[in-house]
């Protein structure tokens, strides 16, 4: 029976992802607008835009290859697969044994490579510029993520997200400086991965500062809908990841029956809503940095993550 409930919880989790990703993006936009004194778009507007774009046929350049046709589906599929691995309202879902932080990082890297290839496929200057910037940022963001995962693995003894959350929830890890450094590194990587302020501005189309938008300027129709949906899924994934690791409370127990899920769903909604509010407040209070300062920002995140891992390793060796 536990296997049945785990499979059903996984299905509910994936269905919730499909609905919550556009809603989260709309909520962040609405909160930012309200904090700036504007009315802002309705939180459901991103979902309406996706449905409108999905009904339109994409227009491709004459020299576009199969890469431009396949990349949006690959990026959206990789983002959905990675988000499906991150626990949300319940533990012990069907994909829990596969919910490895390194695997999630690999799926995110796969989506990033697909976007970079799509940006370079047609040969436009902006596409190549955005792809070059994206991959140069990834050269620092991915090691920072791996180092933070190493810190968590040393503490919890595994990189499985369910097991890491259980270790935090039981309180056996306590408060450590290395955990704070890993959290700061993950927050910096999350900002860079989602092209958020101060690394990038998802609402801008200024040529000299674009990173994410530069790679999908040629996309249209359902291809553009897939790119946008992949970006929405990545934002939800990172908030879920932070909540699953550092706020692993309120989740239904593994193998629990469906009548235990509503409390977990409410706790999950509260955590994601709180993180969305914090993100909107942060982006409303800070300006975008110059693109040439981004490597310094990510380099600092990498050094902080590495420092946390070294401190933890030295302390464990001494004890």
């Amino acid at each position: 029976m536990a296997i049945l409930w785990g499979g059903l919880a996984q299905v509910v989790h994936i269905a919730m992802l499909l609905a919550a990703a556009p809603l989260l993006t709309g909520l962040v936009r609405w909160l930012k607008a309200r904090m700036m004194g504007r009315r802002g778009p309705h939180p459901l507007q991103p979902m309406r835009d996706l449905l409108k774009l999905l009904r339109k046929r994409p227009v491709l350049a004459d020299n576009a290859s199969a890469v431009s046709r396949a990349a949006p589906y690959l990026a959206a599929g990789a983002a959905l697969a990675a988000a499906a691995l991150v626990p949300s309202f319940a533990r012990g879902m069907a994909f829990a044994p596969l919910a490895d932080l390194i695997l999630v990082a690999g799926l995110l890297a796969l989506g990033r490579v697909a976007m970079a290839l799509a940006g370079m496929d047609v040969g436009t200057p902006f596409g190549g510029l955005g792809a070059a910037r994206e991959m140069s940022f990834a050269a620092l963001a991915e090691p920072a993520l791996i180092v933070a995962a190493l810190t968590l693995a040393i503490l919890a003894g595994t990189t499985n997200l369910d097991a890491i959350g259980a270790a935090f929830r039981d309180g056996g890890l306590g408060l450590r400086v290395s955990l704070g450094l890993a959290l700061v590194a993950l927050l910096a990587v999350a900002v860079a991965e989602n092209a958020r302020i101060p690394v990038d501005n998802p609402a801008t189309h200024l040529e000299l500062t674009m990173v994410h938008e530069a790679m999908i300027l040629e996309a249209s129709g359902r291809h553009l809908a897939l790119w946008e949906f992949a970006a929405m899924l990545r934002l939800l994934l990172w908030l879920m990841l932070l909540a699953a690791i550092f706020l692993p409370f309120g989740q239904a127990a593994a193998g629990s029956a469906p009548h235990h899920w509503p409390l977990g769903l409410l706790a999950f909604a509260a955590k994601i809503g709180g993180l969305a509010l914090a993100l909107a407040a942060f982006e409303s209070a800070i300006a975008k940095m110059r693109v040439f300062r981004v490597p310094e920002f990510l380099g600092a995140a990498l050094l902080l993550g590495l420092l946390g891992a070294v401190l933890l390793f030295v302390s464990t060796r001494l004890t």
Side-chain angles (χ1 to χ4, degrees):
M1 189 60 69
I3 297 177
L4 175 61
W5 296 141
L8 183 58
Q10 189 69 60
V11 173
V12 173
H13 172 71
I14 294 175
M16 182 183 64
L17 292 176
L18 299 177
L23 181 60
L24 174 63
T25 299
L27 178 63
V28 172
R29 292 175 182 174
W30 181 79
L31 288 172
K32 286 178 61 178
R34 300 301 293 179
M35 291 178 181
M36 295 177 182
R38 297 183 285 109
R39 182 177 179 181
H42 195 278
L44 293 179
Q45 189 59 45
M47 189 174 296
R48 297 168 184 166
D49 294 339
L50 288 178
L51 294 176
K52 180 178 67 175
L53 288 172
L54 285 172
R55 292 194 295 265
K56 295 184 178 181
R57 182 176 61 86
V59 178
L60 297 173
D62 294 335
N63 59 336
S65 68
V67 172
S68 295
R69 296 178 176 86
Y73 298 94
L74 180 60
L80 181 59
L85 297 177
V86 182
S88 58
F89 66 92
R91 305 190 305 272
M93 293 187 290
F95 292 167
L98 302 176
D100 191 277
L101 188 54
I102 305 300
L103 178 57
V104 172
L107 291 171
L108 291 174
L110 178 62
R112 183 186 304 111
V113 170
M115 180 177 289
L117 290 176
M120 295 185 296
D121 183 52
V122 180
T124 58
F126 289 146
L129 177 66
R133 288 176 175 175
E134 179 72 13
M135 299 312 293
S136 64
F137 297 164
L140 294 172
E142 289 181 359
L145 175 58
I146 297 301
V147 169
L150 175 63
T151 301
L152 298 172
I154 294 175
L155 286 172
T158 179
T159 53
N160 184 273
L161 292 173
D162 254 16
I164 293 174
F168 272 85
R169 186 175 55 256
D170 296 338
L173 301 183
L175 297 177
R176 298 171 181 262
V177 176
S178 55
L179 282 179
L181 296 175
L183 174 59
V184 173
L186 284 177
L187 289 174
V189 174
V191 169
E193 285 281 349
N194 290 284
R196 310 297 301 192
I197 296 174
V199 174
D200 193 13
N201 187 354
T204 186
H205 281 81
L206 182 61
E207 292 85 352
L208 296 178
T209 62
M210 286 190 299
V211 179
H212 174 270
E213 295 295 327
M215 293 181 285
I216 61 174
L217 278 178
E218 297 294 320
S220 61
R222 58 177 174 271
H223 286 178
L224 180 58
L226 289 171
W227 287 123
E228 295 292 343
F229 185 62
M232 297 173 186
L233 277 173
R234 284 197 303 273
L235 177 60
L236 178 60
L237 182 153
W238 274 100
L239 295 189
M240 288 169 48
L241 187 65
L242 293 172
I245 295 176
F246 298 99
L247 299 171
F249 310 107
Q251 295 175 322
S256 58
H259 67 271
H260 294 289
W261 298 349
L263 184 59
L265 289 169
L266 288 176
F268 173 73
K271 288 185 285 187
I272 297 300
L275 291 174
L277 179 61
L279 175 61
F282 175 75
E283 291 191 337
S284 301
I286 196 170
K288 182 185 178 301
M289 68 176 64
R290 295 176 58 191
V291 68
F292 301 109
R293 299 291 300 274
V294 176
E296 299 176 9
F297 175 76
L298 293 175
L302 174 59
L303 290 177
L304 288 176
L306 185 60
L307 178 61
V310 171
L311 289 175
L312 183 61
F313 179 75
V314 171
S315 63
T316 53
R317 295 284 292 184
L318 291 177
T319 55

